Each structure stands twice: as structure tokens, then as C-alpha cells.
Amino acid sequence: MKDIIASSDNKFYKLLKKLDKKKYRDENSIFKAEGEKFLGENINFNKIIVKESKFEYFEKKYNISQNENLTILKDNLFDEVSTQENSQGIIFLYSKNLNTILDIKGDVVILDDIQDPGNVGTIIRTMIATGFYNLVLTKGSVDVYNPKTVRATMSGIFKLNVIYETPKNIVKFLKENNYLTISTALYKDSVSYEKIELKEKNAFIFGHEGGGVSDYMINNSDIKAIIPIYGNIESLNVSVAAGVFLYKMKEKIIGKK
């Protein structure tokens, strides 16, 4: 067994605790992902952190001692850095996506000031399912690298280009690169998503849980689109709306081929 961290004064242990805060994730360009399922993902990680009492289980099943970047924590210290009530006893450190908006090719999903980690996690999973791999969030949106969002994505976060940018720079990029920009918004001149005719490159914008897409993004969109609602309810949850919308857009894309 490798050396075991047993002191709360250990520098690496202190870093692990700090990574629950966005400030330190940004400063170090790393984030935590927790759970045995990540052992099955073919993704390069920086570190594996294992709970001492779980080491034998992971060693027998995965031979994890072969990893040079393995760290073992005493149970009490592991419990302090875990974000799950019923932890499986294993945490991974990954590097954050350092791409910029200029690296984007093809269709893009834009989340405008969405705040709920569960909503973003669900949207990321839906994007993978529908074959959209570029995600841009306006600065001020929820951090996709916080533990709750990472968990909600069910490892989908590793399969996307994820970029944070200002609304102004997003609009500039879309215009300069000839995107058809579609905001989901309930306006008098909004059209049903059934009637949208997509172009070669398309941007799909979904907005804040309470306020929707911002006026700035709407005013710089080519189309305002709605999903028909047939019952007596005002709107859909943003993650549900994104799911319905993206599946419909994918059907249109496939239909054009």
C-alpha cells in the first residue's frame, strides 16, 4: 500500500478541501469527480484519491496501486473532502477544459445565466444523447465543475467542449461565423420550433430558470422560438425544454442529410 495521508496539515489534503470552492478550482484549473464509475471512463486524470478502508476493494478489483498518481487518505480525512453522503470511497482530480470560444466548430448550445447545477447536468447529458458537443455558458452561470454538476452530468462533462464567455463576445463570435441564432423565448413574434429551418451552423440558446433568455441575447438572435404547450401551464423547466428542443433540432438535422 502507498503512503497514507493522516494529517489535516498536509498541503494536498488542504487543496482537496479548497476545491469545493470555484475560486480554487479556477486558480488550479482542476476539479473533483467522485465515484467508482469514473474508473471505467477512458479519460486521463491527474490524481486518484482513495479512502483507506476502501483500498483493498479497489486494489482487488482494479489493481489501482499500479497508478503512480494514487493518494490514500485516512477515513476521517476522506470524509471531510467527499461531497457525497454515501461515498464509494474514491475521488478523481481532472484538469478543466481550457478551450476558448474560438475553438468551437459546428452547432453550439448556449446557456444564458442558468443557475441550477441539476438543470445544467441534465442538459449536458441530453446534449451527449442528441450529438451536440459544444457548450457555451455566459459568465455568471453555474460552474459546471462544481461537484453537484459533475455528478449530475453522469460523466458527460468529459465529452463536451465547455466554454465560459461574456454575452458580448458570444454574440460577436456567432455573427462573425455566420451562425443561425435561435433563442427559446415567448414573444408575440416567436415561431413554433416545428417551423424552424436550420442552416449549416446553428446556435440554440436557453435562459435563466426564472427570467429566461436575456434581452441582449434575444435582441441579437435571428429567431425566437417556442415549444408548443397544450395544457394549462405557463412554461417548462429549462432542462426539459432543452431536451425537447434539442431532440427536435437533431431530427431536422438528420432529415436534411
PDB file of all heavy atoms in Angstrom, residues 81-115:
ATOM      1  N   VAL A  81     -13.339  15.592   2.689  1.00  0.00           N
ATOM      2  CA  VAL A  81     -13.209  16.134   1.326  1.00  0.00           C
ATOM      3  C   VAL A  81     -14.274  15.568   0.385  1.00  0.00           C
ATOM      4  O   VAL A  81     -14.479  16.086  -0.711  1.00  0.00           O
ATOM      5  CB  VAL A  81     -11.808  15.878   0.736  1.00  0.00           C
ATOM      6  CG1 VAL A  81     -10.744  16.535   1.581  1.00  0.00           C
ATOM      7  CG2 VAL A  81     -11.524  14.393   0.585  1.00  0.00           C
ATOM      8  N   SER A  82     -14.966  14.509   0.811  1.00  0.00           N
ATOM      9  CA  SER A  82     -16.041  13.945  -0.007  1.00  0.00           C
ATOM     10  C   SER A  82     -17.254  14.864   0.029  1.00  0.00           C
ATOM     11  O   SER A  82     -17.549  15.497   1.038  1.00  0.00           O
ATOM     12  CB  SER A  82     -16.429  12.562   0.515  1.00  0.00           C
ATOM     13  OG  SER A  82     -17.592  12.093  -0.140  1.00  0.00           O
ATOM     14  N   THR A  83     -17.968  14.926  -1.087  1.00  0.00           N
ATOM     15  CA  THR A  83     -19.193  15.741  -1.158  1.00  0.00           C
ATOM     16  C   THR A  83     -20.445  14.873  -1.170  1.00  0.00           C
ATOM     17  O   THR A  83     -21.539  15.380  -1.349  1.00  0.00           O
ATOM     18  CB  THR A  83     -19.178  16.621  -2.425  1.00  0.00           C
ATOM     19  OG1 THR A  83     -19.104  15.773  -3.580  1.00  0.00           O
ATOM     20  CG2 THR A  83     -17.990  17.584  -2.415  1.00  0.00           C
ATOM     21  N   GLN A  84     -20.273  13.573  -0.997  1.00  0.00           N
ATOM     22  CA  GLN A  84     -21.410  12.660  -1.042  1.00  0.00           C
ATOM     23  C   GLN A  84     -21.673  12.037   0.323  1.00  0.00           C
ATOM     24  O   GLN A  84     -20.739  11.687   1.041  1.00  0.00           O
ATOM     25  CB  GLN A  84     -21.161  11.563  -2.083  1.00  0.00           C
ATOM     26  CG  GLN A  84     -21.016  12.100  -3.496  1.00  0.00           C
ATOM     27  CD  GLN A  84     -20.872  10.980  -4.518  1.00  0.00           C
ATOM     28  OE1 GLN A  84     -21.024   9.813  -4.208  1.00  0.00           O
ATOM     29  NE2 GLN A  84     -20.574  11.357  -5.753  1.00  0.00           N
ATOM     30  N   GLU A  85     -22.953  11.891   0.651  1.00  0.00           N
ATOM     31  CA  GLU A  85     -23.318  11.306   1.940  1.00  0.00           C
ATOM     32  C   GLU A  85     -22.916   9.839   2.018  1.00  0.00           C
ATOM     33  O   GLU A  85     -22.433   9.377   3.047  1.00  0.00           O
ATOM     34  CB  GLU A  85     -24.832  11.440   2.164  1.00  0.00           C
ATOM     35  CG  GLU A  85     -25.270  12.857   2.486  1.00  0.00           C
ATOM     36  CD  GLU A  85     -26.739  12.920   2.855  1.00  0.00           C
ATOM     37  OE1 GLU A  85     -27.330  11.852   3.141  1.00  0.00           O
ATOM     38  OE2 GLU A  85     -27.299  14.020   2.854  1.00  0.00           O
ATOM     39  N   ASN A  86     -23.135   9.103   0.954  1.00  0.00           N
ATOM     40  CA  ASN A  86     -22.782   7.679   0.917  1.00  0.00           C
ATOM     41  C   ASN A  86     -21.688   7.461  -0.120  1.00  0.00           C
ATOM     42  O   ASN A  86     -21.903   6.847  -1.160  1.00  0.00           O
ATOM     43  CB  ASN A  86     -24.015   6.831   0.601  1.00  0.00           C
ATOM     44  CG  ASN A  86     -25.096   6.974   1.646  1.00  0.00           C
ATOM     45  OD1 ASN A  86     -24.851   6.758   2.836  1.00  0.00           O
ATOM     46  ND2 ASN A  86     -26.301   7.359   1.226  1.00  0.00           N
ATOM     47  N   SER A  87     -20.517   7.976   0.181  1.00  0.00           N
ATOM     48  CA  SER A  87     -19.417   7.932  -0.768  1.00  0.00           C
ATOM     49  C   SER A  87     -18.958   6.505  -1.037  1.00  0.00           C
ATOM     50  O   SER A  87     -18.968   5.649  -0.155  1.00  0.00           O
ATOM     51  CB  SER A  87     -18.238   8.750  -0.234  1.00  0.00           C
ATOM     52  OG  SER A  87     -17.108   8.597  -1.069  1.00  0.00           O
ATOM     53  N   GLN A  88     -18.544   6.263  -2.280  1.00  0.00           N
ATOM     54  CA  GLN A  88     -17.975   4.966  -2.648  1.00  0.00           C
ATOM     55  C   GLN A  88     -16.501   4.875  -2.297  1.00  0.00           C
ATOM     56  O   GLN A  88     -15.880   3.830  -2.494  1.00  0.00           O
ATOM     57  CB  GLN A  88     -18.186   4.719  -4.146  1.00  0.00           C
ATOM     58  CG  GLN A  88     -19.649   4.552  -4.523  1.00  0.00           C
ATOM     59  CD  GLN A  88     -19.837   4.395  -6.028  1.00  0.00           C
ATOM     60  OE1 GLN A  88     -19.197   5.069  -6.825  1.00  0.00           O
ATOM     61  NE2 GLN A  88     -20.733   3.506  -6.420  1.00  0.00           N
ATOM     62  N   GLY A  89     -15.943   5.982  -1.806  1.00  0.00           N
ATOM     63  CA  GLY A  89     -14.576   5.942  -1.308  1.00  0.00           C
ATOM     64  C   GLY A  89     -13.496   6.222  -2.318  1.00  0.00           C
ATOM     65  O   GLY A  89     -12.329   5.867  -2.109  1.00  0.00           O
ATOM     66  N   ILE A  90     -13.855   6.873  -3.437  1.00  0.00           N
ATOM     67  CA  ILE A  90     -12.844   7.191  -4.439  1.00  0.00           C
ATOM     68  C   ILE A  90     -13.164   8.522  -5.117  1.00  0.00           C
ATOM     69  O   ILE A  90     -14.316   8.798  -5.451  1.00  0.00           O
ATOM     70  CB  ILE A  90     -12.718   6.054  -5.480  1.00  0.00           C
ATOM     71  CG1 ILE A  90     -11.485   6.263  -6.358  1.00  0.00           C
ATOM     72  CG2 ILE A  90     -13.992   5.892  -6.299  1.00  0.00           C
ATOM     73  CD1 ILE A  90     -11.080   5.019  -7.130  1.00  0.00           C
ATOM     74  N   ILE A  91     -12.136   9.361  -5.256  1.00  0.00           N
ATOM     75  CA  ILE A  91     -12.254  10.687  -5.867  1.00  0.00           C
ATOM     76  C   ILE A  91     -11.158  10.829  -6.922  1.00  0.00           C
ATOM     77  O   ILE A  91     -10.044  10.315  -6.749  1.00  0.00           O
ATOM     78  CB  ILE A  91     -12.099  11.800  -4.804  1.00  0.00           C
ATOM     79  CG1 ILE A  91     -13.261  11.749  -3.799  1.00  0.00           C
ATOM     80  CG2 ILE A  91     -12.023  13.188  -5.449  1.00  0.00           C
ATOM     81  CD1 ILE A  91     -13.066  12.661  -2.598  1.00  0.00           C
ATOM     82  N   PHE A  92     -11.486  11.533  -7.998  1.00  0.00           N
ATOM     83  CA  PHE A  92     -10.511  11.788  -9.060  1.00  0.00           C
ATOM     84  C   PHE A  92     -10.326  13.292  -9.221  1.00  0.00           C
ATOM     85  O   PHE A  92     -11.265  14.068  -9.051  1.00  0.00           O
ATOM     86  CB  PHE A  92     -11.002  11.205 -10.388  1.00  0.00           C
ATOM     87  CG  PHE A  92     -11.195   9.717 -10.358  1.00  0.00           C
ATOM     88  CD1 PHE A  92     -12.363   9.166  -9.848  1.00  0.00           C
ATOM     89  CD2 PHE A  92     -10.209   8.869 -10.821  1.00  0.00           C
ATOM     90  CE1 PHE A  92     -12.549   7.796  -9.808  1.00  0.00           C
ATOM     91  CE2 PHE A  92     -10.383   7.492 -10.786  1.00  0.00           C
ATOM     92  CZ  PHE A  92     -11.549   6.953 -10.276  1.00  0.00           C
ATOM     93  N   LEU A  93      -9.121  13.685  -9.571  1.00  0.00           N
ATOM     94  CA  LEU A  93      -8.853  15.074  -9.956  1.00  0.00           C
ATOM     95  C   LEU A  93      -8.613  15.118 -11.458  1.00  0.00           C
ATOM     96  O   LEU A  93      -7.830  14.328 -11.996  1.00  0.00           O
ATOM     97  CB  LEU A  93      -7.622  15.625  -9.229  1.00  0.00           C
ATOM     98  CG  LEU A  93      -7.715  15.832  -7.727  1.00  0.00           C
ATOM     99  CD1 LEU A  93      -6.474  16.581  -7.235  1.00  0.00           C
ATOM    100  CD2 LEU A  93      -8.968  16.592  -7.349  1.00  0.00           C
ATOM    101  N   TYR A  94      -9.309  16.041 -12.120  1.00  0.00           N
ATOM    102  CA  TYR A  94      -9.173  16.223 -13.563  1.00  0.00           C
ATOM    103  C   TYR A  94      -8.812  17.668 -13.878  1.00  0.00           C
ATOM    104  O   TYR A  94      -9.166  18.585 -13.127  1.00  0.00           O
ATOM    105  CB  TYR A  94     -10.488  15.895 -14.272  1.00  0.00           C
ATOM    106  CG  TYR A  94     -10.905  14.454 -14.221  1.00  0.00           C
ATOM    107  CD1 TYR A  94     -11.785  14.004 -13.242  1.00  0.00           C
ATOM    108  CD2 TYR A  94     -10.434  13.541 -15.161  1.00  0.00           C
ATOM    109  CE1 TYR A  94     -12.184  12.673 -13.197  1.00  0.00           C
ATOM    110  CE2 TYR A  94     -10.834  12.211 -15.125  1.00  0.00           C
ATOM    111  CZ  TYR A  94     -11.700  11.786 -14.142  1.00  0.00           C
ATOM    112  OH  TYR A  94     -12.091  10.475 -14.105  1.00  0.00           O
ATOM    113  N   SER A  95      -8.173  17.860 -15.016  1.00  0.00           N
ATOM    114  CA  SER A  95      -7.901  19.213 -15.498  1.00  0.00           C
ATOM    115  C   SER A  95      -9.156  19.784 -16.135  1.00  0.00           C
ATOM    116  O   SER A  95      -9.900  19.072 -16.818  1.00  0.00           O
ATOM    117  CB  SER A  95      -6.770  19.205 -16.538  1.00  0.00           C
ATOM    118  OG  SER A  95      -5.564  18.776 -15.963  1.00  0.00           O
ATOM    119  N   LYS A  96      -9.394  21.072 -15.934  1.00  0.00           N
ATOM    120  CA  LYS A  96     -10.531  21.735 -16.556  1.00  0.00           C
ATOM    121  C   LYS A  96     -10.293  21.916 -18.046  1.00  0.00           C
ATOM    122  O   LYS A  96      -9.155  21.946 -18.522  1.00  0.00           O
ATOM    123  CB  LYS A  96     -10.757  23.109 -15.897  1.00  0.00           C
ATOM    124  CG  LYS A  96     -11.255  23.032 -14.473  1.00  0.00           C
ATOM    125  CD  LYS A  96     -11.311  24.401 -13.829  1.00  0.00           C
ATOM    126  CE  LYS A  96     -12.279  25.323 -14.525  1.00  0.00           C
ATOM    127  NZ  LYS A  96     -12.415  26.621 -13.832  1.00  0.00           N
ATOM    128  N   ASN A  97     -11.386  22.026 -18.779  1.00  0.00           N
ATOM    129  CA  ASN A  97     -11.330  22.314 -20.205  1.00  0.00           C
ATOM    130  C   ASN A  97     -10.839  23.752 -20.395  1.00  0.00           C
ATOM    131  O   ASN A  97     -11.456  24.690 -19.909  1.00  0.00           O
ATOM    132  CB  ASN A  97     -12.738  22.159 -20.791  1.00  0.00           C
ATOM    133  CG  ASN A  97     -12.774  22.297 -22.297  1.00  0.00           C
ATOM    134  OD1 ASN A  97     -11.926  22.944 -22.895  1.00  0.00           O
ATOM    135  ND2 ASN A  97     -13.772  21.699 -22.915  1.00  0.00           N
ATOM    136  N   LEU A  98      -9.734  23.908 -21.098  1.00  0.00           N
ATOM    137  CA  LEU A  98      -9.141  25.241 -21.274  1.00  0.00           C
ATOM    138  C   LEU A  98      -9.343  25.793 -22.687  1.00  0.00           C
ATOM    139  O   LEU A  98      -8.679  26.721 -23.110  1.00  0.00           O
ATOM    140  CB  LEU A  98      -7.640  25.190 -20.935  1.00  0.00           C
ATOM    141  CG  LEU A  98      -7.317  24.784 -19.489  1.00  0.00           C
ATOM    142  CD1 LEU A  98      -5.810  24.754 -19.270  1.00  0.00           C
ATOM    143  CD2 LEU A  98      -7.979  25.733 -18.492  1.00  0.00           C
ATOM    144  N   ASN A  99     -10.298  25.214 -23.427  1.00  0.00           N
ATOM    145  CA  ASN A  99     -10.612  25.745 -24.761  1.00  0.00           C
ATOM    146  C   ASN A  99     -11.232  27.132 -24.658  1.00  0.00           C
ATOM    147  O   ASN A  99     -11.725  27.535 -23.604  1.00  0.00           O
ATOM    148  CB  ASN A  99     -11.582  24.821 -25.493  1.00  0.00           C
ATOM    149  CG  ASN A  99     -10.927  23.518 -25.924  1.00  0.00           C
ATOM    150  OD1 ASN A  99      -9.712  23.387 -25.888  1.00  0.00           O
ATOM    151  ND2 ASN A  99     -11.737  22.557 -26.322  1.00  0.00           N
ATOM    152  N   THR A 100     -11.222  27.842 -25.766  1.00  0.00           N
ATOM    153  CA  THR A 100     -11.893  29.131 -25.849  1.00  0.00           C
ATOM    154  C   THR A 100     -13.004  29.032 -26.891  1.00  0.00           C
ATOM    155  O   THR A 100     -13.111  28.042 -27.620  1.00  0.00           O
ATOM    156  CB  THR A 100     -10.925  30.254 -26.255  1.00  0.00           C
ATOM    157  OG1 THR A 100     -10.587  30.098 -27.648  1.00  0.00           O
ATOM    158  CG2 THR A 100      -9.659  30.228 -25.414  1.00  0.00           C
ATOM    159  N   ILE A 101     -13.811  30.070 -26.974  1.00  0.00           N
ATOM    160  CA  ILE A 101     -14.919  30.062 -27.923  1.00  0.00           C
ATOM    161  C   ILE A 101     -14.420  29.954 -29.367  1.00  0.00           C
ATOM    162  O   ILE A 101     -15.117  29.428 -30.232  1.00  0.00           O
ATOM    163  CB  ILE A 101     -15.793  31.325 -27.727  1.00  0.00           C
ATOM    164  CG1 ILE A 101     -17.156  31.128 -28.402  1.00  0.00           C
ATOM    165  CG2 ILE A 101     -15.086  32.581 -28.217  1.00  0.00           C
ATOM    166  CD1 ILE A 101     -18.180  32.169 -28.010  1.00  0.00           C
ATOM    167  N   LEU A 102     -13.201  30.390 -29.621  1.00  0.00           N
ATOM    168  CA  LEU A 102     -12.647  30.321 -30.973  1.00  0.00           C
ATOM    169  C   LEU A 102     -12.352  28.891 -31.399  1.00  0.00           C
ATOM    170  O   LEU A 102     -12.129  28.624 -32.585  1.00  0.00           O
ATOM    171  CB  LEU A 102     -11.371  31.170 -31.056  1.00  0.00           C
ATOM    172  CG  LEU A 102     -11.551  32.666 -30.770  1.00  0.00           C
ATOM    173  CD1 LEU A 102     -10.226  33.392 -30.862  1.00  0.00           C
ATOM    174  CD2 LEU A 102     -12.565  33.284 -31.737  1.00  0.00           C
ATOM    175  N   ASP A 103     -12.336  27.952 -30.445  1.00  0.00           N
ATOM    176  CA  ASP A 103     -12.081  26.548 -30.770  1.00  0.00           C
ATOM    177  C   ASP A 103     -13.335  25.811 -31.233  1.00  0.00           C
ATOM    178  O   ASP A 103     -13.269  24.666 -31.661  1.00  0.00           O
ATOM    179  CB  ASP A 103     -11.511  25.820 -29.546  1.00  0.00           C
ATOM    180  CG  ASP A 103     -10.157  26.370 -29.126  1.00  0.00           C
ATOM    181  OD1 ASP A 103      -9.298  26.524 -30.010  1.00  0.00           O
ATOM    182  OD2 ASP A 103      -9.968  26.658 -27.930  1.00  0.00           O
ATOM    183  N   ILE A 104     -14.486  26.470 -31.153  1.00  0.00           N
ATOM    184  CA  ILE A 104     -15.751  25.808 -31.459  1.00  0.00           C
ATOM    185  C   ILE A 104     -15.929  25.642 -32.968  1.00  0.00           C
ATOM    186  O   ILE A 104     -15.701  26.568 -33.742  1.00  0.00           O
ATOM    187  CB  ILE A 104     -16.940  26.594 -30.871  1.00  0.00           C
ATOM    188  CG1 ILE A 104     -16.969  26.418 -29.354  1.00  0.00           C
ATOM    189  CG2 ILE A 104     -18.259  26.140 -31.475  1.00  0.00           C
ATOM    190  CD1 ILE A 104     -18.086  27.168 -28.682  1.00  0.00           C
ATOM    191  N   LYS A 105     -16.349  24.453 -33.356  1.00  0.00           N
ATOM    192  CA  LYS A 105     -16.729  24.160 -34.741  1.00  0.00           C
ATOM    193  C   LYS A 105     -18.102  23.496 -34.704  1.00  0.00           C
ATOM    194  O   LYS A 105     -18.357  22.612 -33.910  1.00  0.00           O
ATOM    195  CB  LYS A 105     -15.726  23.207 -35.393  1.00  0.00           C
ATOM    196  CG  LYS A 105     -14.260  23.620 -35.274  1.00  0.00           C
ATOM    197  CD  LYS A 105     -13.959  24.860 -36.067  1.00  0.00           C
ATOM    198  CE  LYS A 105     -12.456  25.195 -35.961  1.00  0.00           C
ATOM    199  NZ  LYS A 105     -12.171  26.542 -36.469  1.00  0.00           N
ATOM    200  N   GLY A 106     -18.982  23.924 -35.570  1.00  0.00           N
ATOM    201  CA  GLY A 106     -20.293  23.279 -35.662  1.00  0.00           C
ATOM    202  C   GLY A 106     -21.318  23.847 -34.703  1.00  0.00           C
ATOM    203  O   GLY A 106     -21.121  24.902 -34.085  1.00  0.00           O
ATOM    204  N   ASP A 107     -22.435  23.158 -34.578  1.00  0.00           N
ATOM    205  CA  ASP A 107     -23.555  23.638 -33.764  1.00  0.00           C
ATOM    206  C   ASP A 107     -23.149  23.814 -32.303  1.00  0.00           C
ATOM    207  O   ASP A 107     -22.281  23.104 -31.793  1.00  0.00           O
ATOM    208  CB  ASP A 107     -24.723  22.657 -33.849  1.00  0.00           C
ATOM    209  CG  ASP A 107     -25.314  22.576 -35.246  1.00  0.00           C
ATOM    210  OD1 ASP A 107     -25.244  23.570 -35.982  1.00  0.00           O
ATOM    211  OD2 ASP A 107     -25.841  21.493 -35.592  1.00  0.00           O
ATOM    212  N   VAL A 108     -23.827  24.753 -31.647  1.00  0.00           N
ATOM    213  CA  VAL A 108     -23.469  25.077 -30.270  1.00  0.00           C
ATOM    214  C   VAL A 108     -24.728  25.299 -29.442  1.00  0.00           C
ATOM    215  O   VAL A 108     -25.724  25.848 -29.929  1.00  0.00           O
ATOM    216  CB  VAL A 108     -22.552  26.324 -30.222  1.00  0.00           C
ATOM    217  CG1 VAL A 108     -23.207  27.534 -30.848  1.00  0.00           C
ATOM    218  CG2 VAL A 108     -22.124  26.638 -28.797  1.00  0.00           C
ATOM    219  N   VAL A 109     -24.688  24.856 -28.196  1.00  0.00           N
ATOM    220  CA  VAL A 109     -25.742  25.132 -27.222  1.00  0.00           C
ATOM    221  C   VAL A 109     -25.228  26.208 -26.278  1.00  0.00           C
ATOM    222  O   VAL A 109     -24.106  26.119 -25.775  1.00  0.00           O
ATOM    223  CB  VAL A 109     -26.115  23.862 -26.428  1.00  0.00           C
ATOM    224  CG1 VAL A 109     -27.101  24.194 -25.307  1.00  0.00           C
ATOM    225  CG2 VAL A 109     -26.696  22.812 -27.358  1.00  0.00           C
ATOM    226  N   ILE A 110     -26.058  27.231 -26.059  1.00  0.00           N
ATOM    227  CA  ILE A 110     -25.665  28.348 -25.197  1.00  0.00           C
ATOM    228  C   ILE A 110     -26.625  28.433 -24.011  1.00  0.00           C
ATOM    229  O   ILE A 110     -27.844  28.459 -24.193  1.00  0.00           O
ATOM    230  CB  ILE A 110     -25.674  29.671 -25.990  1.00  0.00           C
ATOM    231  CG1 ILE A 110     -24.646  29.598 -27.117  1.00  0.00           C
ATOM    232  CG2 ILE A 110     -25.390  30.856 -25.066  1.00  0.00           C
ATOM    233  CD1 ILE A 110     -24.748  30.729 -28.115  1.00  0.00           C
ATOM    234  N   LEU A 111     -26.071  28.447 -22.809  1.00  0.00           N
ATOM    235  CA  LEU A 111     -26.863  28.574 -21.593  1.00  0.00           C
ATOM    236  C   LEU A 111     -26.636  29.963 -21.017  1.00  0.00           C
ATOM    237  O   LEU A 111     -25.516  30.316 -20.642  1.00  0.00           O
ATOM    238  CB  LEU A 111     -26.481  27.491 -20.580  1.00  0.00           C
ATOM    239  CG  LEU A 111     -26.628  26.047 -21.081  1.00  0.00           C
ATOM    240  CD1 LEU A 111     -26.331  25.058 -19.947  1.00  0.00           C
ATOM    241  CD2 LEU A 111     -28.014  25.794 -21.671  1.00  0.00           C
ATOM    242  N   ASP A 112     -27.705  30.740 -20.992  1.00  0.00           N
ATOM    243  CA  ASP A 112     -27.636  32.148 -20.613  1.00  0.00           C
ATOM    244  C   ASP A 112     -28.051  32.320 -19.148  1.00  0.00           C
ATOM    245  O   ASP A 112     -29.239  32.346 -18.832  1.00  0.00           O
ATOM    246  CB  ASP A 112     -28.560  32.954 -21.540  1.00  0.00           C
ATOM    247  CG  ASP A 112     -28.486  34.456 -21.285  1.00  0.00           C
ATOM    248  OD1 ASP A 112     -27.521  34.909 -20.646  1.00  0.00           O
ATOM    249  OD2 ASP A 112     -29.414  35.164 -21.731  1.00  0.00           O
ATOM    250  N   ASP A 113     -27.063  32.379 -18.271  1.00  0.00           N
ATOM    251  CA  ASP A 113     -27.276  32.661 -16.847  1.00  0.00           C
ATOM    252  C   ASP A 113     -28.092  31.578 -16.141  1.00  0.00           C
ATOM    253  O   ASP A 113     -28.845  31.859 -15.211  1.00  0.00           O
ATOM    254  CB  ASP A 113     -27.953  34.031 -16.666  1.00  0.00           C
ATOM    255  CG  ASP A 113     -27.815  34.552 -15.239  1.00  0.00           C
ATOM    256  OD1 ASP A 113     -26.789  34.277 -14.599  1.00  0.00           O
ATOM    257  OD2 ASP A 113     -28.754  35.224 -14.764  1.00  0.00           O
ATOM    258  N   ILE A 114     -27.952  30.343 -16.545  1.00  0.00           N
ATOM    259  CA  ILE A 114     -28.621  29.244 -15.841  1.00  0.00           C
ATOM    260  C   ILE A 114     -27.872  28.965 -14.542  1.00  0.00           C
ATOM    261  O   ILE A 114     -26.646  28.897 -14.524  1.00  0.00           O
ATOM    262  CB  ILE A 114     -28.723  27.998 -16.739  1.00  0.00           C
ATOM    263  CG1 ILE A 114     -29.695  28.295 -17.889  1.00  0.00           C
ATOM    264  CG2 ILE A 114     -29.169  26.777 -15.949  1.00  0.00           C
ATOM    265  CD1 ILE A 114     -29.948  27.139 -18.813  1.00  0.00           C
ATOM    266  N   GLN A 115     -28.617  28.784 -13.458  1.00  0.00           N
ATOM    267  CA  GLN A 115     -28.022  28.757 -12.128  1.00  0.00           C
ATOM    268  C   GLN A 115     -28.081  27.401 -11.419  1.00  0.00           C
ATOM    269  O   GLN A 115     -27.325  27.174 -10.479  1.00  0.00           O
ATOM    270  CB  GLN A 115     -28.710  29.800 -11.232  1.00  0.00           C
ATOM    271  CG  GLN A 115     -28.564  31.229 -11.724  1.00  0.00           C
ATOM    272  CD  GLN A 115     -27.116  31.677 -11.738  1.00  0.00           C
ATOM    273  OE1 GLN A 115     -26.379  31.480 -10.767  1.00  0.00           O
ATOM    274  NE2 GLN A 115     -26.678  32.258 -12.845  1.00  0.00           N
TER     275      GLN A 115
END
